[in-house]
Short mmCIF file of all heavy atoms in Angstrom, two decimals:
data_model
loop_
_atom_site.label_atom_id
_atom_site.label_comp_id
_atom_site.label_asym_id
_atom_site.label_seq_id
_atom_site.Cartn_x
_atom_site.Cartn_y
_atom_site.Cartn_z
N LEU N 229 163.98 44.59 61.78
CA LEU N 229 163.51 44.79 63.14
C LEU N 229 164.66 45.19 64.05
O LEU N 229 165.65 44.45 64.17
CB LEU N 229 162.85 43.51 63.67
CG LEU N 229 161.85 42.82 62.73
CD1 LEU N 229 161.39 41.49 63.32
CD2 LEU N 229 160.67 43.73 62.46
N LEU N 230 164.55 46.35 64.67
CA LEU N 230 165.59 46.82 65.59
C LEU N 230 164.92 47.42 66.82
O LEU N 230 164.08 48.30 66.72
CB LEU N 230 166.47 47.87 64.91
CG LEU N 230 167.57 48.49 65.78
CD1 LEU N 230 168.57 47.43 66.23
CD2 LEU N 230 168.28 49.62 65.04
N ASP N 231 165.33 46.91 68.00
CA ASP N 231 164.79 47.40 69.27
C ASP N 231 165.96 47.56 70.24
O ASP N 231 166.62 46.57 70.60
CB ASP N 231 163.77 46.41 69.83
CG ASP N 231 163.07 46.94 71.09
OD1 ASP N 231 163.39 48.08 71.50
OD2 ASP N 231 162.22 46.23 71.64
N THR N 232 166.26 48.80 70.63
CA THR N 232 167.41 49.07 71.50
C THR N 232 166.96 49.79 72.76
O THR N 232 166.00 50.58 72.74
CB THR N 232 168.46 49.94 70.78
OG1 THR N 232 167.85 51.18 70.40
CG2 THR N 232 168.97 49.24 69.52
N ASN N 233 167.68 49.51 73.85
CA ASN N 233 167.36 50.12 75.14
C ASN N 233 168.67 50.50 75.84
O ASN N 233 169.62 49.71 75.88
CB ASN N 233 166.56 49.14 76.00
CG ASN N 233 166.16 49.75 77.33
OD1 ASN N 233 165.44 50.73 77.37
ND2 ASN N 233 166.63 49.17 78.41
N TYR N 234 168.71 51.71 76.40
CA TYR N 234 169.92 52.17 77.08
C TYR N 234 169.90 51.68 78.53
O TYR N 234 168.97 51.99 79.29
CB TYR N 234 170.03 53.69 77.04
CG TYR N 234 171.37 54.20 77.54
CD1 TYR N 234 172.50 54.12 76.73
CD2 TYR N 234 171.49 54.77 78.81
CE1 TYR N 234 173.73 54.60 77.17
CE2 TYR N 234 172.72 55.24 79.26
CZ TYR N 234 173.83 55.15 78.44
OH TYR N 234 175.05 55.61 78.89
N ASN N 235 170.92 50.89 78.89
CA ASN N 235 171.03 50.33 80.23
C ASN N 235 171.67 51.36 81.15
O ASN N 235 172.85 51.70 81.00
CB ASN N 235 171.87 49.05 80.21
CG ASN N 235 171.75 48.27 81.50
OD1 ASN N 235 171.77 48.84 82.58
ND2 ASN N 235 171.67 46.94 81.37
N LEU N 236 170.89 51.91 82.09
CA LEU N 236 171.40 52.96 82.98
C LEU N 236 172.40 52.44 84.00
O LEU N 236 173.12 53.22 84.63
CB LEU N 236 170.22 53.62 83.71
CG LEU N 236 169.20 54.34 82.81
CD1 LEU N 236 168.05 54.89 83.66
CD2 LEU N 236 169.86 55.47 82.04
N VAL N 237 172.47 51.11 84.18
CA VAL N 237 173.42 50.51 85.12
C VAL N 237 174.80 50.36 84.47
O VAL N 237 175.83 50.76 85.02
CB VAL N 237 172.92 49.16 85.63
CG1 VAL N 237 173.95 48.50 86.55
CG2 VAL N 237 171.58 49.33 86.34
N THR N 238 174.80 49.79 83.24
CA THR N 238 176.08 49.58 82.54
C THR N 238 176.45 50.74 81.63
O THR N 238 177.57 50.77 81.09
CB THR N 238 175.98 48.30 81.69
OG1 THR N 238 174.95 48.47 80.70
CG2 THR N 238 175.64 47.10 82.56
N ASN N 239 175.51 51.68 81.42
CA ASN N 239 175.73 52.82 80.53
C ASN N 239 176.08 52.36 79.11
O ASN N 239 176.97 52.92 78.44
CB ASN N 239 176.83 53.74 81.08
CG ASN N 239 176.40 54.43 82.34
OD1 ASN N 239 175.24 54.82 82.50
ND2 ASN N 239 177.33 54.59 83.28
N HIS N 240 175.38 51.33 78.64
CA HIS N 240 175.56 50.83 77.28
C HIS N 240 174.18 50.57 76.66
O HIS N 240 173.20 50.34 77.35
CB HIS N 240 176.39 49.53 77.27
CG HIS N 240 177.84 49.74 77.52
ND1 HIS N 240 178.39 49.69 78.79
CD2 HIS N 240 178.88 50.00 76.68
CE1 HIS N 240 179.69 49.89 78.74
NE2 HIS N 240 180.01 50.09 77.46
N TRP N 241 174.17 50.58 75.33
CA TRP N 241 172.95 50.25 74.59
C TRP N 241 172.84 48.74 74.45
O TRP N 241 173.80 48.06 74.06
CB TRP N 241 172.95 50.90 73.21
CG TRP N 241 172.68 52.37 73.24
CD1 TRP N 241 173.61 53.37 73.30
CD2 TRP N 241 171.40 53.01 73.22
NE1 TRP N 241 172.98 54.60 73.33
CE2 TRP N 241 171.63 54.40 73.27
CE3 TRP N 241 170.09 52.55 73.17
CZ2 TRP N 241 170.60 55.33 73.27
CZ3 TRP N 241 169.06 53.47 73.16
CH2 TRP N 241 169.31 54.84 73.21
N ASP N 242 171.67 48.20 74.76
CA ASP N 242 171.39 46.78 74.60
C ASP N 242 170.41 46.58 73.44
O ASP N 242 169.36 47.23 73.40
CB ASP N 242 170.78 46.18 75.87
CG ASP N 242 171.73 46.26 77.05
OD1 ASP N 242 172.95 46.22 76.83
OD2 ASP N 242 171.23 46.38 78.19
N ASN N 243 170.78 45.70 72.52
CA ASN N 243 169.88 45.35 71.41
C ASN N 243 168.97 44.21 71.85
O ASN N 243 169.39 43.06 71.95
CB ASN N 243 170.68 44.92 70.18
CG ASN N 243 171.30 46.10 69.46
OD1 ASN N 243 170.99 47.24 69.76
ND2 ASN N 243 172.19 45.82 68.52
N ARG N 244 167.73 44.56 72.15
CA ARG N 244 166.78 43.53 72.55
C ARG N 244 166.29 42.73 71.35
O ARG N 244 165.88 41.59 71.47
CB ARG N 244 165.59 44.16 73.28
CG ARG N 244 166.00 44.84 74.59
CD ARG N 244 164.81 45.39 75.33
NE ARG N 244 164.19 46.52 74.66
CZ ARG N 244 163.21 47.26 75.18
NH1 ARG N 244 162.73 46.96 76.37
NH2 ARG N 244 162.70 48.28 74.51
N GLU N 245 166.36 43.34 70.17
CA GLU N 245 166.01 42.64 68.94
C GLU N 245 166.72 43.32 67.79
O GLU N 245 166.72 44.54 67.67
CB GLU N 245 164.50 42.65 68.71
CG GLU N 245 164.05 41.78 67.56
CD GLU N 245 162.55 41.56 67.54
OE1 GLU N 245 161.85 42.14 68.38
OE2 GLU N 245 162.08 40.79 66.68
N ASP N 246 167.37 42.50 66.95
CA ASP N 246 168.09 43.03 65.80
C ASP N 246 168.08 41.97 64.71
O ASP N 246 168.83 40.99 64.76
CB ASP N 246 169.54 43.40 66.19
CG ASP N 246 170.25 44.15 65.08
OD1 ASP N 246 169.64 44.36 64.01
OD2 ASP N 246 171.42 44.52 65.28
N TYR N 247 167.19 42.12 63.76
CA TYR N 247 167.04 41.11 62.70
C TYR N 247 166.74 41.80 61.38
O TYR N 247 165.96 42.74 61.31
CB TYR N 247 165.91 40.13 63.04
CG TYR N 247 165.62 39.16 61.92
CD1 TYR N 247 166.37 38.00 61.76
CD2 TYR N 247 164.58 39.41 61.01
CE1 TYR N 247 166.11 37.11 60.72
CE2 TYR N 247 164.31 38.52 59.97
CZ TYR N 247 165.08 37.37 59.84
OH TYR N 247 164.83 36.51 58.81
N LYS N 248 167.38 41.26 60.34
CA LYS N 248 167.10 41.74 58.99
C LYS N 248 167.18 40.54 58.06
O LYS N 248 168.19 39.83 58.01
CB LYS N 248 168.10 42.81 58.56
CG LYS N 248 167.76 43.47 57.22
CD LYS N 248 168.70 44.62 56.92
CE LYS N 248 168.30 45.32 55.62
NZ LYS N 248 169.20 46.46 55.31
N GLY N 249 166.10 40.27 57.35
CA GLY N 249 166.07 39.13 56.45
C GLY N 249 164.72 38.96 55.82
O GLY N 249 163.82 39.81 55.96
N SER N 250 164.57 37.85 55.12
CA SER N 250 163.31 37.58 54.42
C SER N 250 162.92 36.12 54.62
O SER N 250 163.76 35.26 54.90
CB SER N 250 163.43 37.88 52.92
OG SER N 250 164.40 37.04 52.32
N THR N 251 161.64 35.85 54.47
CA THR N 251 161.12 34.50 54.58
C THR N 251 159.78 34.46 53.87
O THR N 251 159.26 35.50 53.42
CB THR N 251 160.96 34.09 56.06
OG1 THR N 251 160.55 32.73 56.13
CG2 THR N 251 159.93 34.97 56.75
N TYR N 252 159.19 33.26 53.76
CA TYR N 252 157.90 33.18 53.10
C TYR N 252 157.00 32.18 53.82
O TYR N 252 157.46 31.27 54.53
CB TYR N 252 158.05 32.80 51.62
CG TYR N 252 158.72 31.48 51.34
CD1 TYR N 252 158.00 30.29 51.34
CD2 TYR N 252 160.09 31.43 51.06
CE1 TYR N 252 158.60 29.08 51.06
CE2 TYR N 252 160.70 30.23 50.78
CZ TYR N 252 159.96 29.06 50.78
OH TYR N 252 160.57 27.85 50.52
N LEU N 253 155.70 32.36 53.62
CA LEU N 253 154.67 31.52 54.21
C LEU N 253 153.72 31.06 53.11
O LEU N 253 153.19 31.88 52.37
CB LEU N 253 153.90 32.29 55.27
CG LEU N 253 152.69 31.60 55.92
CD1 LEU N 253 153.15 30.42 56.77
CD2 LEU N 253 151.89 32.58 56.77
N LEU N 254 153.53 29.75 53.00
CA LEU N 254 152.64 29.17 52.01
C LEU N 254 151.44 28.54 52.71
O LEU N 254 151.61 27.85 53.72
CB LEU N 254 153.35 28.10 51.17
CG LEU N 254 154.59 28.55 50.38
CD1 LEU N 254 155.21 27.37 49.65
CD2 LEU N 254 154.24 29.66 49.40
N GLN N 255 150.23 28.76 52.15
CA GLN N 255 149.01 28.22 52.75
C GLN N 255 148.08 27.68 51.66
O GLN N 255 147.19 28.39 51.20
CB GLN N 255 148.29 29.30 53.56
CG GLN N 255 149.10 29.90 54.69
CD GLN N 255 148.32 30.94 55.45
OE1 GLN N 255 147.46 30.63 56.29
NE2 GLN N 255 148.58 32.21 55.17
N PRO N 256 148.27 26.42 51.25
CA PRO N 256 147.31 25.81 50.31
C PRO N 256 146.10 25.27 51.05
O PRO N 256 146.17 24.97 52.25
CB PRO N 256 148.13 24.68 49.69
CG PRO N 256 149.10 24.29 50.77
CD PRO N 256 149.43 25.56 51.53
N PHE N 257 144.98 25.14 50.36
CA PHE N 257 143.76 24.63 50.99
C PHE N 257 142.84 24.02 49.94
O PHE N 257 142.95 24.32 48.75
CB PHE N 257 143.02 25.74 51.75
CG PHE N 257 142.32 26.71 50.84
CD1 PHE N 257 140.99 26.53 50.48
CD2 PHE N 257 142.99 27.81 50.33
CE1 PHE N 257 140.34 27.42 49.62
CE2 PHE N 257 142.36 28.71 49.48
CZ PHE N 257 141.03 28.51 49.12
N ILE N 258 141.93 23.18 50.40
CA ILE N 258 140.85 22.67 49.58
C ILE N 258 139.66 22.41 50.50
O ILE N 258 139.83 21.97 51.63
CB ILE N 258 141.25 21.39 48.82
CG1 ILE N 258 140.08 20.94 47.92
CG2 ILE N 258 141.67 20.28 49.78
CD1 ILE N 258 140.48 19.80 46.97
N GLN N 259 138.46 22.73 50.03
CA GLN N 259 137.28 22.54 50.85
C GLN N 259 136.10 22.11 49.97
O GLN N 259 136.02 22.46 48.79
CB GLN N 259 136.93 23.79 51.65
CG GLN N 259 136.82 25.06 50.84
CD GLN N 259 136.83 26.30 51.72
OE1 GLN N 259 137.37 26.31 52.81
NE2 GLN N 259 136.22 27.35 51.22
N TRP N 260 135.22 21.31 50.60
CA TRP N 260 134.07 20.75 49.89
C TRP N 260 132.82 21.02 50.70
O TRP N 260 132.83 20.94 51.92
CB TRP N 260 134.27 19.24 49.70
CG TRP N 260 133.24 18.62 48.81
CD1 TRP N 260 131.98 18.25 49.14
CD2 TRP N 260 133.40 18.28 47.44
NE1 TRP N 260 131.33 17.71 48.06
CE2 TRP N 260 132.18 17.72 46.99
CE3 TRP N 260 134.45 18.41 46.52
CZ2 TRP N 260 131.99 17.27 45.69
CZ3 TRP N 260 134.27 17.97 45.23
CH2 TRP N 260 133.05 17.41 44.83
N GLN N 261 131.74 21.31 50.01
CA GLN N 261 130.46 21.53 50.68
C GLN N 261 129.39 20.65 50.04
O GLN N 261 129.26 20.60 48.81
CB GLN N 261 130.03 22.99 50.60
CG GLN N 261 128.75 23.29 51.36
CD GLN N 261 128.35 24.75 51.24
OE1 GLN N 261 127.74 25.15 50.27
NE2 GLN N 261 128.71 25.55 52.24
N TYR N 262 128.64 19.96 50.91
CA TYR N 262 127.55 19.11 50.45
C TYR N 262 126.27 19.53 51.18
O TYR N 262 126.23 19.59 52.41
CB TYR N 262 127.85 17.64 50.74
CG TYR N 262 126.69 16.71 50.43
CD1 TYR N 262 126.17 16.61 49.15
CD2 TYR N 262 126.13 15.93 51.44
CE1 TYR N 262 125.10 15.77 48.87
CE2 TYR N 262 125.06 15.07 51.18
CZ TYR N 262 124.56 15.01 49.89
OH TYR N 262 123.50 14.17 49.62
N LYS N 263 125.21 19.82 50.40
CA LYS N 263 123.94 20.27 50.95
C LYS N 263 122.85 19.31 50.51
O LYS N 263 122.28 19.48 49.42
CB LYS N 263 123.63 21.69 50.50
CG LYS N 263 124.64 22.74 50.93
CD LYS N 263 124.26 24.12 50.45
CE LYS N 263 122.98 24.59 51.11
NZ LYS N 263 122.64 25.98 50.75
N PRO N 264 122.53 18.30 51.32
CA PRO N 264 121.44 17.40 50.95
C PRO N 264 120.08 18.10 50.93
O PRO N 264 119.20 17.73 50.14
CB PRO N 264 121.49 16.31 52.03
CG PRO N 264 122.21 16.94 53.17
CD PRO N 264 123.17 17.90 52.58
N THR N 265 119.90 19.09 51.81
CA THR N 265 118.69 19.91 51.81
C THR N 265 119.08 21.35 52.06
O THR N 265 120.23 21.65 52.39
CB THR N 265 117.69 19.45 52.90
OG1 THR N 265 118.24 19.78 54.19
CG2 THR N 265 117.44 17.95 52.82
N ASP N 266 118.09 22.24 51.98
CA ASP N 266 118.38 23.65 52.26
C ASP N 266 118.70 23.89 53.73
O ASP N 266 119.30 24.90 54.08
CB ASP N 266 117.17 24.52 51.86
CG ASP N 266 117.15 24.81 50.37
OD1 ASP N 266 118.24 24.79 49.75
OD2 ASP N 266 116.05 25.03 49.83
N ASP N 267 118.29 22.97 54.60
CA ASP N 267 118.48 23.16 56.04
C ASP N 267 119.65 22.36 56.60
O ASP N 267 119.91 22.43 57.80
CB ASP N 267 117.20 22.77 56.80
CG ASP N 267 116.01 23.64 56.41
OD1 ASP N 267 116.25 24.84 56.18
OD2 ASP N 267 114.90 23.12 56.31
N LEU N 268 120.33 21.59 55.78
CA LEU N 268 121.42 20.74 56.27
C LEU N 268 122.63 20.88 55.36
O LEU N 268 122.52 20.68 54.15
CB LEU N 268 120.98 19.28 56.33
CG LEU N 268 121.98 18.27 56.91
CD1 LEU N 268 122.29 18.61 58.37
CD2 LEU N 268 121.43 16.86 56.80
N THR N 269 123.77 21.24 55.95
CA THR N 269 124.98 21.48 55.18
C THR N 269 126.16 20.77 55.84
O THR N 269 126.34 20.86 57.06
CB THR N 269 125.28 22.99 55.08
OG1 THR N 269 124.18 23.65 54.48
CG2 THR N 269 126.53 23.24 54.25
N PHE N 270 126.98 20.10 55.03
CA PHE N 270 128.22 19.48 55.50
C PHE N 270 129.39 20.19 54.84
O PHE N 270 129.41 20.37 53.62
CB PHE N 270 128.26 17.99 55.13
CG PHE N 270 127.23 17.15 55.84
CD1 PHE N 270 126.02 16.86 55.23
CD2 PHE N 270 127.46 16.66 57.11
CE1 PHE N 270 125.06 16.09 55.87
CE2 PHE N 270 126.52 15.89 57.77
CZ PHE N 270 125.31 15.60 57.15
N ASN N 271 130.36 20.60 55.66
CA ASN N 271 131.58 21.23 55.16
C ASN N 271 132.78 20.38 55.56
O ASN N 271 132.87 19.93 56.71
CB ASN N 271 131.75 22.63 55.74
CG ASN N 271 130.87 23.64 55.04
OD1 ASN N 271 130.66 23.56 53.84
ND2 ASN N 271 130.33 24.58 55.79
N ALA N 272 133.70 20.19 54.65
CA ALA N 272 134.95 19.50 54.96
C ALA N 272 136.08 20.21 54.23
O ALA N 272 135.89 20.72 53.13
CB ALA N 272 134.89 18.04 54.52
N GLY N 273 137.24 20.28 54.87
CA GLY N 273 138.35 20.98 54.24
C GLY N 273 139.68 20.65 54.86
O GLY N 273 139.75 20.12 55.98
N ILE N 274 140.75 20.93 54.14
CA ILE N 274 142.12 20.75 54.62
C ILE N 274 142.89 22.03 54.34
O ILE N 274 142.81 22.59 53.24
CB ILE N 274 142.81 19.57 53.93
CG1 ILE N 274 142.07 18.26 54.23
CG2 ILE N 274 144.26 19.45 54.37
CD1 ILE N 274 142.66 17.06 53.51
#
């Protein structure tokens, strides 16, 4: 990610954002459904 802007007051380039790297996101889940009848449903999950 690189975002640069030329400052007309200071006559220099400003890096508003400068990042290079890696990371990860983990998303585990579990969910349960119980239907006592066709018209009534219970859902629970984490």
Side-chain angles (χ1 to χ4, degrees):
L229 313 174
L230 178 62
D231 186 1
T232 60
N233 183 61
Y234 189 76
N235 193 318
L236 298 177
V237 177
T238 62
N239 292 323
H240 286 91
W241 285 92
D242 297 330
N243 284 350
R244 297 183 291 187
E245 188 167 4
D246 189 358
Y247 174 83
K248 187 174 183 179
S250 62
T251 185
Y252 60 85
L253 175 67
L254 301 178
Q255 301 181 78
F257 73 92
I258 183 171
Q259 52 195 27
W260 188 279
Q261 184 180 83
Y262 174 60
K263 299 180 66 175
T265 70
D266 279 334
D267 299 323
L268 184 62
T269 302
F270 294 96
N271 282 323
I274 298 177

